[in-house]
Amino acid sequence: LAKTTQPISMDSYEGQEVNITCSHNNIATNDYITWYQQFPSQGPRFIIQGYKTKVTNEVASLFIPADRKSSTLSLPRVSLSDTAVYYCLVGDAWGGGGKLIFGQGTELSVKP
Amino acid sequence: NAGVTQTPKFRILKIGQSMTLQCTQDMNHNYMYWYRQDPGMGLKLIYYSVGAGITDKGEVPNGYNVSRSTTEDFPLRLELAAPSQTSVYFCASSYSTGGEQYFGPGTRLTVT
């Protein structure tokens, strides 16, 4: 199972773009990269998932370079409500029963 | 759809007692998971299931047992509770092995 490394914390201001980078040097061929968001006292919530290059949805973009050893979650124009912990996960998409490793996550604090 | 529901929301156990944490999903997902989250830490996978009648261990299975007799239900059993099992427990489900996981609201358990 590939292990991930991400910054423990980040600060930002409302309206800024935030980029959170995750390192996963041992990513395997079958692994997908998934990001979750967690607010205090709640379960994690899916943000975005990708395999390579770039994926965009209504809330975020995910950039994955060709070697796939890292990925960057981009949150455009953050607001106070984006203050949360963000987890990067790497897991086998076709086997392993969906076993995922949650690291410590990145605690994002958005200030007014 | 209610999604993933967990009961109880809170529970205090004495050392050596046993209890079952209930988890039910109404999305007809084959994959279900149990995680624990200690304060300030990421989630750790306890057990998971790829379908009714099939379960397997995650990272931290010791002290826990699971069963999966139906697609909807995935109870987690704690035998002989210990203070080290004080944590927040999250149940999740997904349609596919690497797909988006939907989390329940969590059960906050204290063992004293």
Side-chain angles (χ1 to χ4, degrees), chain A residues 36 38 42-44 46 49 87 93-104, chain B residues 33 35 37 40-43 45 48 50 59 90 97-98 100-101 103-104 108:
Chain A
Y36 283 83
Q38 187 179 27
Q42 293 186 26
F46 174 90
Q49 184 181 67
Y87 294 98
W94 293 286
K99 286 190 285 189
L100 296 175
I101 301 290
F102 279 81
Q104 275 196 288
Chain B
Y33 315 84
Y35 296 90
Q37 185 173 34
M41 305 296 288
L43 284 75
L45 182 65
Y48 68 98
V50 301
E59 295 177 82
F90 290 103
T97 183
E100 175 180 354
Q101 292 192 15
F103 284 80
R108 187 175 296 274

PDB file of all heavy atoms in Angstrom, chain A residues 36 38 42-44 46 49 87 93-104, chain B residues 33 35 37 40-43 45 48 50 59 90 97-98 100-101 103-104 108:
ATOM      1  N   TYR A  36     -10.076  13.594   0.146  1.00  0.00           N
ATOM      2  CA  TYR A  36     -11.264  13.746   0.978  1.00  0.00           C
ATOM      3  C   TYR A  36     -11.122  14.982   1.846  1.00  0.00           C
ATOM      4  O   TYR A  36     -10.011  15.411   2.180  1.00  0.00           O
ATOM      5  CB  TYR A  36     -11.448  12.525   1.897  1.00  0.00           C
ATOM      6  CG  TYR A  36     -12.003  11.299   1.195  1.00  0.00           C
ATOM      7  CD1 TYR A  36     -11.171  10.441   0.492  1.00  0.00           C
ATOM      8  CD2 TYR A  36     -13.366  11.011   1.248  1.00  0.00           C
ATOM      9  CE1 TYR A  36     -11.679   9.327  -0.149  1.00  0.00           C
ATOM     10  CE2 TYR A  36     -13.875   9.887   0.617  1.00  0.00           C
ATOM     11  CZ  TYR A  36     -13.027   9.056  -0.080  1.00  0.00           C
ATOM     12  OH  TYR A  36     -13.535   7.946  -0.712  1.00  0.00           O
ATOM     13  N   GLN A  38     -12.554  16.720   5.533  1.00  0.00           N
ATOM     14  CA  GLN A  38     -13.222  16.378   6.779  1.00  0.00           C
ATOM     15  C   GLN A  38     -13.373  17.609   7.674  1.00  0.00           C
ATOM     16  O   GLN A  38     -12.390  18.277   7.993  1.00  0.00           O
ATOM     17  CB  GLN A  38     -12.480  15.286   7.552  1.00  0.00           C
ATOM     18  CG  GLN A  38     -13.247  14.801   8.779  1.00  0.00           C
ATOM     19  CD  GLN A  38     -12.543  13.697   9.538  1.00  0.00           C
ATOM     20  OE1 GLN A  38     -11.320  13.587   9.505  1.00  0.00           O
ATOM     21  NE2 GLN A  38     -13.311  12.875  10.230  1.00  0.00           N
ATOM     22  N   GLN A  42     -17.333  15.236  11.888  1.00  0.00           N
ATOM     23  CA  GLN A  42     -18.041  14.650  10.747  1.00  0.00           C
ATOM     24  C   GLN A  42     -17.167  13.606  10.076  1.00  0.00           C
ATOM     25  O   GLN A  42     -15.943  13.620  10.222  1.00  0.00           O
ATOM     26  CB  GLN A  42     -18.411  15.719   9.722  1.00  0.00           C
ATOM     27  CG  GLN A  42     -19.442  16.718  10.203  1.00  0.00           C
ATOM     28  CD  GLN A  42     -19.861  17.655   9.083  1.00  0.00           C
ATOM     29  OE1 GLN A  42     -19.785  17.317   7.901  1.00  0.00           O
ATOM     30  NE2 GLN A  42     -20.312  18.838   9.438  1.00  0.00           N
ATOM     31  N   GLY A  43     -17.797  12.726   9.308  1.00  0.00           N
ATOM     32  CA  GLY A  43     -17.036  11.793   8.507  1.00  0.00           C
ATOM     33  C   GLY A  43     -16.446  12.487   7.294  1.00  0.00           C
ATOM     34  O   GLY A  43     -16.935  13.523   6.863  1.00  0.00           O
ATOM     35  N   PRO A  44     -15.369  11.928   6.730  1.00  0.00           N
ATOM     36  CA  PRO A  44     -14.765  12.525   5.523  1.00  0.00           C
ATOM     37  C   PRO A  44     -15.754  12.553   4.368  1.00  0.00           C
ATOM     38  O   PRO A  44     -16.669  11.724   4.291  1.00  0.00           O
ATOM     39  CB  PRO A  44     -13.589  11.592   5.227  1.00  0.00           C
ATOM     40  CG  PRO A  44     -13.267  10.952   6.528  1.00  0.00           C
ATOM     41  CD  PRO A  44     -14.577  10.784   7.218  1.00  0.00           C
ATOM     42  N   PHE A  46     -15.860  12.890   0.055  1.00  0.00           N
ATOM     43  CA  PHE A  46     -15.108  12.790  -1.197  1.00  0.00           C
ATOM     44  C   PHE A  46     -15.054  14.139  -1.900  1.00  0.00           C
ATOM     45  O   PHE A  46     -16.056  14.848  -1.994  1.00  0.00           O
ATOM     46  CB  PHE A  46     -15.803  11.760  -2.083  1.00  0.00           C
ATOM     47  CG  PHE A  46     -15.246  11.620  -3.469  1.00  0.00           C
ATOM     48  CD1 PHE A  46     -14.233  10.710  -3.718  1.00  0.00           C
ATOM     49  CD2 PHE A  46     -15.748  12.373  -4.524  1.00  0.00           C
ATOM     50  CE1 PHE A  46     -13.729  10.557  -5.005  1.00  0.00           C
ATOM     51  CE2 PHE A  46     -15.248  12.227  -5.802  1.00  0.00           C
ATOM     52  CZ  PHE A  46     -14.236  11.313  -6.044  1.00  0.00           C
ATOM     53  N   GLN A  49     -11.120  12.515  -7.536  1.00  0.00           N
ATOM     54  CA  GLN A  49     -10.285  11.334  -7.749  1.00  0.00           C
ATOM     55  C   GLN A  49      -9.708  11.379  -9.154  1.00  0.00           C
ATOM     56  O   GLN A  49     -10.376  11.834 -10.092  1.00  0.00           O
ATOM     57  CB  GLN A  49     -11.118  10.057  -7.569  1.00  0.00           C
ATOM     58  CG  GLN A  49     -10.338   8.758  -7.676  1.00  0.00           C
ATOM     59  CD  GLN A  49     -11.240   7.540  -7.513  1.00  0.00           C
ATOM     60  OE1 GLN A  49     -12.098   7.248  -8.332  1.00  0.00           O
ATOM     61  NE2 GLN A  49     -11.057   6.843  -6.411  1.00  0.00           N
ATOM     62  N   TYR A  87      -7.373  15.093   3.143  1.00  0.00           N
ATOM     63  CA  TYR A  87      -6.603  13.850   3.098  1.00  0.00           C
ATOM     64  C   TYR A  87      -6.359  13.420   1.655  1.00  0.00           C
ATOM     65  O   TYR A  87      -7.282  13.415   0.836  1.00  0.00           O
ATOM     66  CB  TYR A  87      -7.357  12.722   3.799  1.00  0.00           C
ATOM     67  CG  TYR A  87      -7.532  12.897   5.287  1.00  0.00           C
ATOM     68  CD1 TYR A  87      -8.723  13.396   5.808  1.00  0.00           C
ATOM     69  CD2 TYR A  87      -6.519  12.549   6.164  1.00  0.00           C
ATOM     70  CE1 TYR A  87      -8.896  13.546   7.171  1.00  0.00           C
ATOM     71  CE2 TYR A  87      -6.685  12.697   7.537  1.00  0.00           C
ATOM     72  CZ  TYR A  87      -7.871  13.208   8.034  1.00  0.00           C
ATOM     73  OH  TYR A  87      -8.042  13.354   9.378  1.00  0.00           O
ATOM     74  N   ALA A  93      -7.466   0.402  -7.416  1.00  0.00           N
ATOM     75  CA  ALA A  93      -8.808   0.563  -7.960  1.00  0.00           C
ATOM     76  C   ALA A  93      -9.429  -0.760  -8.370  1.00  0.00           C
ATOM     77  O   ALA A  93     -10.632  -0.862  -8.505  1.00  0.00           O
ATOM     78  CB  ALA A  93      -8.767   1.498  -9.158  1.00  0.00           C
ATOM     79  N   TRP A  94      -8.620  -1.761  -8.572  1.00  0.00           N
ATOM     80  CA  TRP A  94      -9.173  -3.005  -9.102  1.00  0.00           C
ATOM     81  C   TRP A  94      -9.003  -4.197  -8.176  1.00  0.00           C
ATOM     82  O   TRP A  94      -9.337  -5.304  -8.520  1.00  0.00           O
ATOM     83  CB  TRP A  94      -8.518  -3.341 -10.442  1.00  0.00           C
ATOM     84  CG  TRP A  94      -8.885  -2.359 -11.481  1.00  0.00           C
ATOM     85  CD1 TRP A  94     -10.073  -2.244 -12.111  1.00  0.00           C
ATOM     86  CD2 TRP A  94      -8.044  -1.339 -12.008  1.00  0.00           C
ATOM     87  NE1 TRP A  94     -10.016  -1.207 -13.012  1.00  0.00           N
ATOM     88  CE2 TRP A  94      -8.797  -0.644 -12.974  1.00  0.00           C
ATOM     89  CE3 TRP A  94      -6.730  -0.928 -11.773  1.00  0.00           C
ATOM     90  CZ2 TRP A  94      -8.281   0.435 -13.680  1.00  0.00           C
ATOM     91  CZ3 TRP A  94      -6.212   0.134 -12.481  1.00  0.00           C
ATOM     92  CH2 TRP A  94      -6.987   0.804 -13.424  1.00  0.00           C
ATOM     93  N   GLY A  95      -8.470  -3.990  -7.026  1.00  0.00           N
ATOM     94  CA  GLY A  95      -8.310  -5.109  -6.115  1.00  0.00           C
ATOM     95  C   GLY A  95      -8.003  -4.600  -4.727  1.00  0.00           C
ATOM     96  O   GLY A  95      -8.030  -3.404  -4.472  1.00  0.00           O
ATOM     97  N   GLY A  96      -7.713  -5.481  -3.821  1.00  0.00           N
ATOM     98  CA  GLY A  96      -7.363  -5.089  -2.469  1.00  0.00           C
ATOM     99  C   GLY A  96      -8.540  -4.676  -1.630  1.00  0.00           C
ATOM    100  O   GLY A  96      -8.379  -4.209  -0.507  1.00  0.00           O
ATOM    101  N   GLY A  97      -9.730  -4.846  -2.164  1.00  0.00           N
ATOM    102  CA  GLY A  97     -10.917  -4.542  -1.369  1.00  0.00           C
ATOM    103  C   GLY A  97     -11.091  -3.077  -1.054  1.00  0.00           C
ATOM    104  O   GLY A  97     -11.818  -2.715  -0.143  1.00  0.00           O
ATOM    105  N   GLY A  98     -10.413  -2.215  -1.793  1.00  0.00           N
ATOM    106  CA  GLY A  98     -10.577  -0.797  -1.528  1.00  0.00           C
ATOM    107  C   GLY A  98      -9.839  -0.324  -0.302  1.00  0.00           C
ATOM    108  O   GLY A  98     -10.175   0.706   0.277  1.00  0.00           O
ATOM    109  N   LYS A  99      -8.819  -1.051   0.111  1.00  0.00           N
ATOM    110  CA  LYS A  99      -8.075  -0.635   1.295  1.00  0.00           C
ATOM    111  C   LYS A  99      -7.353   0.672   1.015  1.00  0.00           C
ATOM    112  O   LYS A  99      -6.625   0.789   0.027  1.00  0.00           O
ATOM    113  CB  LYS A  99      -7.058  -1.710   1.682  1.00  0.00           C
ATOM    114  CG  LYS A  99      -7.706  -2.922   2.321  1.00  0.00           C
ATOM    115  CD  LYS A  99      -6.677  -3.862   2.901  1.00  0.00           C
ATOM    116  CE  LYS A  99      -5.975  -4.621   1.808  1.00  0.00           C
ATOM    117  NZ  LYS A  99      -5.127  -5.691   2.393  1.00  0.00           N
ATOM    118  N   LEU A 100      -7.599   1.626   1.862  1.00  0.00           N
ATOM    119  CA  LEU A 100      -6.980   2.936   1.703  1.00  0.00           C
ATOM    120  C   LEU A 100      -6.250   3.320   2.977  1.00  0.00           C
ATOM    121  O   LEU A 100      -6.673   2.965   4.066  1.00  0.00           O
ATOM    122  CB  LEU A 100      -8.051   3.987   1.406  1.00  0.00           C
ATOM    123  CG  LEU A 100      -8.831   3.824   0.103  1.00  0.00           C
ATOM    124  CD1 LEU A 100      -9.927   4.861   0.022  1.00  0.00           C
ATOM    125  CD2 LEU A 100      -7.916   3.926  -1.097  1.00  0.00           C
ATOM    126  N   ILE A 101      -5.156   4.035   2.817  1.00  0.00           N
ATOM    127  CA  ILE A 101      -4.401   4.531   3.957  1.00  0.00           C
ATOM    128  C   ILE A 101      -4.648   6.029   4.083  1.00  0.00           C
ATOM    129  O   ILE A 101      -4.332   6.796   3.173  1.00  0.00           O
ATOM    130  CB  ILE A 101      -2.889   4.273   3.784  1.00  0.00           C
ATOM    131  CG1 ILE A 101      -2.605   2.790   3.622  1.00  0.00           C
ATOM    132  CG2 ILE A 101      -2.125   4.870   4.957  1.00  0.00           C
ATOM    133  CD1 ILE A 101      -2.813   1.980   4.867  1.00  0.00           C
ATOM    134  N   PHE A 102      -5.244   6.428   5.199  1.00  0.00           N
ATOM    135  CA  PHE A 102      -5.406   7.850   5.510  1.00  0.00           C
ATOM    136  C   PHE A 102      -4.183   8.294   6.292  1.00  0.00           C
ATOM    137  O   PHE A 102      -3.891   7.758   7.340  1.00  0.00           O
ATOM    138  CB  PHE A 102      -6.648   8.073   6.375  1.00  0.00           C
ATOM    139  CG  PHE A 102      -7.951   8.104   5.631  1.00  0.00           C
ATOM    140  CD1 PHE A 102      -8.577   6.927   5.263  1.00  0.00           C
ATOM    141  CD2 PHE A 102      -8.554   9.306   5.315  1.00  0.00           C
ATOM    142  CE1 PHE A 102      -9.785   6.952   4.590  1.00  0.00           C
ATOM    143  CE2 PHE A 102      -9.771   9.338   4.641  1.00  0.00           C
ATOM    144  CZ  PHE A 102     -10.387   8.165   4.282  1.00  0.00           C
ATOM    145  N   GLY A 103      -3.473   9.302   5.797  1.00  0.00           N
ATOM    146  CA  GLY A 103      -2.377   9.873   6.569  1.00  0.00           C
ATOM    147  C   GLY A 103      -2.931  10.846   7.597  1.00  0.00           C
ATOM    148  O   GLY A 103      -4.120  10.803   7.928  1.00  0.00           O
ATOM    149  N   GLN A 104      -2.068  11.744   8.071  1.00  0.00           N
ATOM    150  CA  GLN A 104      -2.526  12.722   9.065  1.00  0.00           C
ATOM    151  C   GLN A 104      -3.331  13.838   8.445  1.00  0.00           C
ATOM    152  O   GLN A 104      -4.040  14.558   9.135  1.00  0.00           O
ATOM    153  CB  GLN A 104      -1.325  13.317   9.802  1.00  0.00           C
ATOM    154  CG  GLN A 104      -0.867  12.473  10.974  1.00  0.00           C
ATOM    155  CD  GLN A 104       0.043  13.237  11.907  1.00  0.00           C
ATOM    156  OE1 GLN A 104       1.182  13.510  11.563  1.00  0.00           O
ATOM    157  NE2 GLN A 104      -0.443  13.596  13.069  1.00  0.00           N
TER     158      GLN A 104
ATOM    159  N   TYR B  33     -16.782  -0.528   5.096  1.00  0.00           N
ATOM    160  CA  TYR B  33     -15.530  -0.357   5.831  1.00  0.00           C
ATOM    161  C   TYR B  33     -15.818   0.150   7.247  1.00  0.00           C
ATOM    162  O   TYR B  33     -16.776   0.879   7.477  1.00  0.00           O
ATOM    163  CB  TYR B  33     -14.648   0.690   5.133  1.00  0.00           C
ATOM    164  CG  TYR B  33     -14.563   0.551   3.630  1.00  0.00           C
ATOM    165  CD1 TYR B  33     -15.533   1.099   2.800  1.00  0.00           C
ATOM    166  CD2 TYR B  33     -13.503  -0.128   3.031  1.00  0.00           C
ATOM    167  CE1 TYR B  33     -15.470   0.967   1.426  1.00  0.00           C
ATOM    168  CE2 TYR B  33     -13.419  -0.261   1.660  1.00  0.00           C
ATOM    169  CZ  TYR B  33     -14.412   0.297   0.857  1.00  0.00           C
ATOM    170  OH  TYR B  33     -14.343   0.164  -0.504  1.00  0.00           O
ATOM    171  N   TYR B  35     -13.600   2.290  10.166  1.00  0.00           N
ATOM    172  CA  TYR B  35     -12.401   3.024  10.506  1.00  0.00           C
ATOM    173  C   TYR B  35     -12.503   3.503  11.949  1.00  0.00           C
ATOM    174  O   TYR B  35     -13.593   3.710  12.476  1.00  0.00           O
ATOM    175  CB  TYR B  35     -12.253   4.269   9.635  1.00  0.00           C
ATOM    176  CG  TYR B  35     -12.054   4.034   8.161  1.00  0.00           C
ATOM    177  CD1 TYR B  35     -13.139   3.941   7.284  1.00  0.00           C
ATOM    178  CD2 TYR B  35     -10.776   3.941   7.620  1.00  0.00           C
ATOM    179  CE1 TYR B  35     -12.958   3.752   5.932  1.00  0.00           C
ATOM    180  CE2 TYR B  35     -10.581   3.751   6.260  1.00  0.00           C
ATOM    181  CZ  TYR B  35     -11.674   3.668   5.429  1.00  0.00           C
ATOM    182  OH  TYR B  35     -11.492   3.479   4.084  1.00  0.00           O
ATOM    183  N   GLN B  37     -10.776   6.778  14.341  1.00  0.00           N
ATOM    184  CA  GLN B  37     -10.004   8.006  14.260  1.00  0.00           C
ATOM    185  C   GLN B  37      -9.721   8.511  15.664  1.00  0.00           C
ATOM    186  O   GLN B  37     -10.640   8.893  16.394  1.00  0.00           O
ATOM    187  CB  GLN B  37     -10.741   9.084  13.456  1.00  0.00           C
ATOM    188  CG  GLN B  37      -9.924  10.340  13.245  1.00  0.00           C
ATOM    189  CD  GLN B  37     -10.587  11.328  12.313  1.00  0.00           C
ATOM    190  OE1 GLN B  37     -11.791  11.464  12.277  1.00  0.00           O
ATOM    191  NE2 GLN B  37      -9.773  12.028  11.512  1.00  0.00           N
ATOM    192  N   GLY B  40      -6.793  14.137  16.478  1.00  0.00           N
ATOM    193  CA  GLY B  40      -5.706  14.746  15.721  1.00  0.00           C
ATOM    194  C   GLY B  40      -5.044  13.826  14.713  1.00  0.00           C
ATOM    195  O   GLY B  40      -4.008  14.192  14.132  1.00  0.00           O
ATOM    196  N   MET B  41      -5.607  12.653  14.508  1.00  0.00           N
ATOM    197  CA  MET B  41      -4.982  11.680  13.611  1.00  0.00           C
ATOM    198  C   MET B  41      -5.884  11.395  12.419  1.00  0.00           C
ATOM    199  O   MET B  41      -7.067  11.752  12.407  1.00  0.00           O
ATOM    200  CB  MET B  41      -4.709  10.367  14.367  1.00  0.00           C
ATOM    201  CG  MET B  41      -3.894  10.547  15.624  1.00  0.00           C
ATOM    202  SD  MET B  41      -2.237  11.157  15.292  1.00  0.00           S
ATOM    203  CE  MET B  41      -1.503   9.703  14.558  1.00  0.00           C
ATOM    204  N   GLY B  42      -5.315  10.715  11.432  1.00  0.00           N
ATOM    205  CA  GLY B  42      -6.115  10.273  10.303  1.00  0.00           C
ATOM    206  C   GLY B  42      -6.892   9.019  10.658  1.00  0.00           C
ATOM    207  O   GLY B  42      -6.794   8.508  11.772  1.00  0.00           O
ATOM    208  N   LEU B  43      -7.662   8.532   9.713  1.00  0.00           N
ATOM    209  CA  LEU B  43      -8.470   7.338   9.950  1.00  0.00           C
ATOM    210  C   LEU B  43      -7.639   6.080   9.728  1.00  0.00           C
ATOM    211  O   LEU B  43      -6.805   6.042   8.817  1.00  0.00           O
ATOM    212  CB  LEU B  43      -9.670   7.311   8.997  1.00  0.00           C
ATOM    213  CG  LEU B  43     -10.816   8.248   9.316  1.00  0.00           C
ATOM    214  CD1 LEU B  43     -10.481   9.682   8.976  1.00  0.00           C
ATOM    215  CD2 LEU B  43     -12.077   7.822   8.585  1.00  0.00           C
ATOM    216  N   LEU B  45      -8.031   1.922   9.067  1.00  0.00           N
ATOM    217  CA  LEU B  45      -8.976   0.904   8.661  1.00  0.00           C
ATOM    218  C   LEU B  45      -8.935  -0.285   9.615  1.00  0.00           C
ATOM    219  O   LEU B  45      -7.864  -0.852   9.863  1.00  0.00           O
ATOM    220  CB  LEU B  45      -8.661   0.452   7.231  1.00  0.00           C
ATOM    221  CG  LEU B  45      -9.588  -0.577   6.613  1.00  0.00           C
ATOM    222  CD1 LEU B  45     -10.982  -0.007   6.434  1.00  0.00           C
ATOM    223  CD2 LEU B  45      -9.040  -1.058   5.278  1.00  0.00           C
ATOM    224  N   TYR B  48     -12.864  -4.504   6.594  1.00  0.00           N
ATOM    225  CA  TYR B  48     -13.660  -4.142   5.438  1.00  0.00           C
ATOM    226  C   TYR B  48     -14.347  -5.389   4.890  1.00  0.00           C
ATOM    227  O   TYR B  48     -13.999  -6.518   5.248  1.00  0.00           O
ATOM    228  CB  TYR B  48     -12.812  -3.455   4.362  1.00  0.00           C
ATOM    229  CG  TYR B  48     -11.786  -4.335   3.689  1.00  0.00           C
ATOM    230  CD1 TYR B  48     -12.041  -4.932   2.461  1.00  0.00           C
ATOM    231  CD2 TYR B  48     -10.544  -4.543   4.280  1.00  0.00           C
ATOM    232  CE1 TYR B  48     -11.107  -5.729   1.845  1.00  0.00           C
ATOM    233  CE2 TYR B  48      -9.598  -5.343   3.671  1.00  0.00           C
ATOM    234  CZ  TYR B  48      -9.868  -5.932   2.445  1.00  0.00           C
ATOM    235  OH  TYR B  48      -8.944  -6.726   1.841  1.00  0.00           O
ATOM    236  N   VAL B  50     -16.161  -6.968   1.127  1.00  0.00           N
ATOM    237  CA  VAL B  50     -16.373  -6.782  -0.317  1.00  0.00           C
ATOM    238  C   VAL B  50     -17.728  -7.328  -0.753  1.00  0.00           C
ATOM    239  O   VAL B  50     -18.048  -7.302  -1.950  1.00  0.00           O
ATOM    240  CB  VAL B  50     -15.239  -7.425  -1.140  1.00  0.00           C
ATOM    241  CG1 VAL B  50     -13.901  -6.811  -0.749  1.00  0.00           C
ATOM    242  CG2 VAL B  50     -15.215  -8.927  -0.973  1.00  0.00           C
ATOM    243  N   GLU B  59      -5.835  -2.376   8.871  1.00  0.00           N
ATOM    244  CA  GLU B  59      -4.581  -2.082   9.571  1.00  0.00           C
ATOM    245  C   GLU B  59      -4.595  -2.456  11.039  1.00  0.00           C
ATOM    246  O   GLU B  59      -3.594  -2.878  11.602  1.00  0.00           O
ATOM    247  CB  GLU B  59      -4.298  -0.571   9.526  1.00  0.00           C
ATOM    248  CG  GLU B  59      -4.035   0.056   8.194  1.00  0.00           C
ATOM    249  CD  GLU B  59      -3.857   1.557   8.383  1.00  0.00           C
ATOM    250  OE1 GLU B  59      -2.745   1.971   8.746  1.00  0.00           O
ATOM    251  OE2 GLU B  59      -4.835   2.298   8.160  1.00  0.00           O
ATOM    252  N   PHE B  90     -15.947   5.347  12.390  1.00  0.00           N
ATOM    253  CA  PHE B  90     -16.691   5.688  11.186  1.00  0.00           C
ATOM    254  C   PHE B  90     -16.906   4.442  10.342  1.00  0.00           C
ATOM    255  O   PHE B  90     -15.980   3.663  10.118  1.00  0.00           O
ATOM    256  CB  PHE B  90     -15.941   6.716  10.345  1.00  0.00           C
ATOM    257  CG  PHE B  90     -15.881   8.085  10.947  1.00  0.00           C
ATOM    258  CD1 PHE B  90     -14.723   8.528  11.563  1.00  0.00           C
ATOM    259  CD2 PHE B  90     -16.974   8.937  10.889  1.00  0.00           C
ATOM    260  CE1 PHE B  90     -14.658   9.793  12.122  1.00  0.00           C
ATOM    261  CE2 PHE B  90     -16.917  10.203  11.446  1.00  0.00           C
ATOM    262  CZ  PHE B  90     -15.756  10.627  12.069  1.00  0.00           C
ATOM    263  N   THR B  97     -14.459  -0.917  -5.674  1.00  0.00           N
ATOM    264  CA  THR B  97     -13.316  -1.068  -4.771  1.00  0.00           C
ATOM    265  C   THR B  97     -12.508   0.209  -4.636  1.00  0.00           C
ATOM    266  O   THR B  97     -11.969   0.492  -3.585  1.00  0.00           O
ATOM    267  CB  THR B  97     -12.420  -2.234  -5.217  1.00  0.00           C
ATOM    268  OG1 THR B  97     -11.350  -2.408  -4.299  1.00  0.00           O
ATOM    269  CG2 THR B  97     -11.835  -1.971  -6.600  1.00  0.00           C
ATOM    270  N   GLY B  98     -12.360   0.979  -5.670  1.00  0.00           N
ATOM    271  CA  GLY B  98     -11.573   2.209  -5.574  1.00  0.00           C
ATOM    272  C   GLY B  98     -12.410   3.454  -5.635  1.00  0.00           C
ATOM    273  O   GLY B  98     -11.876   4.556  -5.744  1.00  0.00           O
ATOM    274  N   GLU B 100     -15.608   6.273  -4.738  1.00  0.00           N
ATOM    275  CA  GLU B 100     -15.938   7.193  -3.666  1.00  0.00           C
ATOM    276  C   GLU B 100     -16.530   6.462  -2.479  1.00  0.00           C
ATOM    277  O   GLU B 100     -17.465   5.669  -2.630  1.00  0.00           O
ATOM    278  CB  GLU B 100     -16.936   8.222  -4.184  1.00  0.00           C
ATOM    279  CG  GLU B 100     -17.463   9.186  -3.138  1.00  0.00           C
ATOM    280  CD  GLU B 100     -18.446  10.171  -3.719  1.00  0.00           C
ATOM    281  OE1 GLU B 100     -18.631  10.180  -4.951  1.00  0.00           O
ATOM    282  OE2 GLU B 100     -19.037  10.936  -2.931  1.00  0.00           O
ATOM    283  N   GLN B 101     -15.988   6.736  -1.302  1.00  0.00           N
ATOM    284  CA  GLN B 101     -16.538   6.148  -0.090  1.00  0.00           C
ATOM    285  C   GLN B 101     -17.472   7.163   0.578  1.00  0.00           C
ATOM    286  O   GLN B 101     -17.126   8.328   0.720  1.00  0.00           O
ATOM    287  CB  GLN B 101     -15.422   5.751   0.883  1.00  0.00           C
ATOM    288  CG  GLN B 101     -14.578   4.602   0.352  1.00  0.00           C
ATOM    289  CD  GLN B 101     -13.656   4.011   1.398  1.00  0.00           C
ATOM    290  OE1 GLN B 101     -13.805   4.245   2.593  1.00  0.00           O
ATOM    291  NE2 GLN B 101     -12.690   3.227   0.941  1.00  0.00           N
ATOM    292  N   PHE B 103     -19.331   8.155   3.987  1.00  0.00           N
ATOM    293  CA  PHE B 103     -19.124   7.930   5.402  1.00  0.00           C
ATOM    294  C   PHE B 103     -20.381   8.231   6.210  1.00  0.00           C
ATOM    295  O   PHE B 103     -21.157   9.129   5.879  1.00  0.00           O
ATOM    296  CB  PHE B 103     -17.987   8.814   5.919  1.00  0.00           C
ATOM    297  CG  PHE B 103     -16.630   8.313   5.532  1.00  0.00           C
ATOM    298  CD1 PHE B 103     -16.119   8.565   4.263  1.00  0.00           C
ATOM    299  CD2 PHE B 103     -15.863   7.586   6.432  1.00  0.00           C
ATOM    300  CE1 PHE B 103     -14.861   8.094   3.902  1.00  0.00           C
ATOM    301  CE2 PHE B 103     -14.610   7.122   6.076  1.00  0.00           C
ATOM    302  CZ  PHE B 103     -14.108   7.374   4.811  1.00  0.00           C
ATOM    303  N   GLY B 104     -20.518   7.480   7.293  1.00  0.00           N
ATOM    304  CA  GLY B 104     -21.564   7.761   8.255  1.00  0.00           C
ATOM    305  C   GLY B 104     -21.127   8.879   9.195  1.00  0.00           C
ATOM    306  O   GLY B 104     -19.992   9.365   9.112  1.00  0.00           O
ATOM    307  N   ARG B 108     -18.935   8.080  18.757  1.00  0.00           N
ATOM    308  CA  ARG B 108     -17.866   8.482  19.681  1.00  0.00           C
ATOM    309  C   ARG B 108     -17.904   7.552  20.877  1.00  0.00           C
ATOM    310  O   ARG B 108     -18.880   7.533  21.632  1.00  0.00           O
ATOM    311  CB  ARG B 108     -18.045   9.922  20.118  1.00  0.00           C
ATOM    312  CG  ARG B 108     -16.894  10.478  20.943  1.00  0.00           C
ATOM    313  CD  ARG B 108     -17.120  11.962  21.235  1.00  0.00           C
ATOM    314  NE  ARG B 108     -17.126  12.752  20.006  1.00  0.00           N
ATOM    315  CZ  ARG B 108     -16.050  13.243  19.429  1.00  0.00           C
ATOM    316  NH1 ARG B 108     -14.862  13.036  19.953  1.00  0.00           N
ATOM    317  NH2 ARG B 108     -16.155  13.962  18.326  1.00  0.00           N
TER     318      ARG B 108
END
